[in-house]
Amino acid sequence: MDYNVTQKAFRHQPNVRLRKSSMDGSDGSQLFEDTSGCSSKTSQQRNQASGPQSAGFPGQSVLSDPVSNLAMAYGSSLATQGKEMMDRNLDRFIPISKLKYYFAVDTLYVGKKLGLLVFPYMHENWEVSYQRDTPVAPRFDLNAPDLYIPAMGFITYVLVAGLALGTQNRFSPELLGVQASSALVWLIMEVLAVLLSLYLVTVNTDLTTIDLLAFSGYKYVGMIVGVVAGLIFGRPAYYLSLLWCCAAIFVFMTRTLRLKLLSEAAAAEGRLVKGARNQLRMYLTMSIAAAQPVFMFWLTYHLIT
Amino acid sequence: MALTLYSLIQTAILCTNAIAVLHEERFLRKIGSGVDQGVTGFGDDPGIKAQVLNLIRSVRTVMRVPLIIVNTASIVLLLLFG
């Protein structure tokens, strides 16, 4: 296991990482690329052309009237003001700018991460790289957590569960909602339990709630693989693939959480650092990782005959 | 198991109510950490027991008023809609 501490900064302070909204577009590592397709030249031309065009466009008498021009300008300024106020208030409850960070993924990242979730044994460097104190977007760093895979995995799990129930003639449309809400409730309870245990053990970590949500959502990938294998090839295939995915998720979670929860020395050199606190944290990591296979089995065994 | 969001909300309300109606002295004296002998260590490892006590104390302080509102609302709703 090779941690390049010189190349990537390792944070020892427990500050919560700031995923500021100024991250997108400010310093070259944008969250989202500009794929709108129109360069600045064409936008300038468009601005010049729209001036004389608005006078002669739809209702000539309506738009050339200065009073209605004033009314239009006032209305548009009101609309922008209202939109700004709503954005600001909404941002207070649901941190939308922080959420954007978790969805800044691209196809290559998703492919590599899915491969990592099913086969994490060859991956060597599990550290999240930082860029001047803010974490790098998931698109540039394979180890960063994202919310795209968990969200898509959850939806796919609900659909695959409906498919599995349909092949056994147990399907009805309400069951989709029941499956979805039951899986969601288990997810919420798991995240709350992990938060509670992190609080009780007083771990100084920079894991946020959304990070925990992302990590808990990674097990849906394994569940989907298991259920699909069980549907196509029968019950033994379900057990085999579920066993494989459980082991993979266990290793994945352990290696990821070890860096975040344990102290620096323990994470850098291995597992054998003495101290009651480190032992407790190791137990905590292990139990969080061990809870994943339990949930994976619990949420899928009733789908396979 | 038909777990729904509604049952989760019910569980949350019931658990918070349970913490709120707890009689600290009698209950915690049995466990051996009463109010008068509170642990006020400032070391960087307060221990699990102190953390649990802190959590219970803070939940009671914070959730007292919202719980009144939520309980009243749920009583009214359950009376009206069964």
Side-chain angles (χ1 to χ4, degrees), chain A residues 182 185-186 196 199 202 277, chain B residues 1 3-4 44 51-52 55:
Chain A
S182 142
V185 164
W186 280 118
L196 181 71
Y199 172 76
T202 60
R277 242 179 64 198
Chain B
M1 183 177 303
L3 273 183
T4 56
D44 66 344
Q51 288 288 96
V52 170
L55 187 64

Side-chain angles (χ1 to χ4, degrees), chain A residues 67-293:
Chain A
V67 176
S68 64
N69 264 343
L70 218 67
M72 243 178 45
Y74 181 64
S76 65
S77 83
L78 257 190
T80 19
Q81 266 184 14
K83 183 173 167 327
E84 272 177 35
M85 195 173 64
M86 205 192 66
D87 276 343
R88 234 183 308 127
N89 279 337
L90 194 60
D91 202 43
R92 223 184 294 159
F93 294 120
I94 313 173
I96 291 193
S97 44
K98 283 190 221 153
L99 271 185
K100 265 201 224 175
Y101 161 83
Y102 287 97
F103 284 101
V105 296
D106 60 347
T107 324
L108 199 59
Y109 169 84
V110 170
K112 281 202 243 174
K113 192 89 184 196
L114 285 178
L116 195 65
L117 281 170
V118 186
F119 196 77
Y121 307 106
M122 304 291 290
H123 191 67
E124 285 179 351
N125 187 8
W126 293 82
E127 265 182 43
V128 181
S129 48
Y130 288 89
Q131 184 203 31
R132 280 176 268 162
D133 251 16
T134 59
V136 176
R139 159 190 311 217
F140 304 114
D141 174 28
L142 185 61
N143 296 319
D146 72 311
L147 274 182
Y148 175 79
I149 293 181
M152 293 295 133
F154 180 75
I155 298 176
T156 314
Y157 161 74
V158 173
L159 294 176
V160 166
L163 181 69
L165 289 175
T167 55
Q168 303 161 26
N169 289 328
R170 281 198 275 155
F171 181 75
S172 75
E174 297 95 39
L175 275 185
L176 273 184
V178 166
Q179 287 287 329
S181 61
S182 142
L184 192 67
V185 164
W186 280 118
L187 184 72
I188 293 177
M189 288 212 296
E190 181 189 347
V191 170
L192 285 180
V194 170
L195 275 176
L196 181 71
S197 54
L198 280 180
Y199 172 76
L200 286 183
V201 178
T202 60
V203 170
N204 282 332
T205 178
D206 51 357
L207 277 180
T208 64
T209 315
I210 310 188
D211 277 342
L212 291 175
L213 193 65
F215 287 137
S216 301
Y218 279 144
K219 62 167 150 342
Y220 289 121
V221 177
M223 292 200 298
I224 293 168
V225 168
V227 174
V228 167
L231 280 180
I232 301 181
F233 296 117
R235 207 151 192 195
Y238 163 70
Y239 281 124
L240 275 176
S241 54
L242 198 69
L243 206 64
W244 175 272
C245 292
C246 285
I249 260 281
F250 183 76
V251 169
F252 176 85
M253 290 294 286
T254 316
R255 289 196 188 164
T256 312
L257 286 179
R258 196 202 312 185
L259 282 176
K260 307 244 171 183
L261 293 185
L262 296 186
S263 64
E264 182 174 348
E269 70 179 66
R271 282 178 259 174
L272 307 172
V273 175
K274 296 284 184 263
R277 242 179 64 198
N278 264 336
Q279 209 181 18
L280 196 58
R281 290 183 184 189
M282 199 61 201
Y283 283 150
L284 180 67
T285 318
M286 287 290 172
S287 48
I288 294 179
Q292 311 285 322

Side-chain angles (χ1 to χ4, degrees), chain B residues 1 6 16-17 24 35 50 62 69:
Chain B
M1 183 177 303
Y6 178 63
T16 336
N17 275 331
E24 283 189 12
V35 174
V62 166
I69 302 175

